[in-house]
Amino acid sequence: MPTLAQLEEQKEALLERLEAGDLSAEAALERVDRAIASRTQKIAYSQKRLAAVKTAVKAGVPLANTRPKAVAASVKKRAKSKRSLNDF
């Protein structure tokens, strides 16, 4: 998974290719733009989560209690994957 800096470098290279007249770079540029937006959103979400944990720990909540609770869908998926093959 490329870092945000690597994606920015790819974007600059694709912009140069596009300015040089390479029209195939346009589709790749759109993919890189979407990847940059997605990565930026993930980073922002992680920073918010980290800030919330730090605030909770400062308020006296034990670190073990700050972990996110398991979502029902993921619990069901894990339980389903642990079944035997002949389980009907």
Side-chain angles (χ1 to χ4, degrees):
M1 184 180 286
T3 64
L4 191 57
Q6 291 170 337
L7 289 172
E8 291 291 342
E9 290 175 5
Q10 287 178 4
K11 181 178 178 178
E12 290 174 14
L14 288 170
L15 284 173
E16 290 175 6
R17 282 180 42 198
L18 190 62
E19 289 174 1
D22 185 6
L23 296 178
S24 65
E26 189 172 355
L29 185 61
E30 288 178 17
R31 286 192 301 272
V32 169
D33 281 338
R34 285 194 304 268
I36 289 172
S38 173
R39 184 62 46 85
T40 304
Q41 187 179 23
K42 284 182 182 181
I43 291 170
Y45 178 68
S46 295
Q47 289 173 342
K48 285 180 185 178
R49 242 186 12 241
L50 180 62
V53 168
K54 285 182 179 180
T55 304
V57 169
K58 280 184 183 179
V61 176
L63 184 60
N65 292 348
T66 60
R67 293 199 175 103
K69 294 183 176 42
V71 179
S74 64
V75 171
K76 184 186 272 187
K77 184 177 180 181
R78 277 186 272 156
K80 189 176 184 180
S81 66
K82 292 181 182 179
R83 290 187 200 164
S84 67
L85 293 176
N86 293 329
D87 190 13
F88 292 106

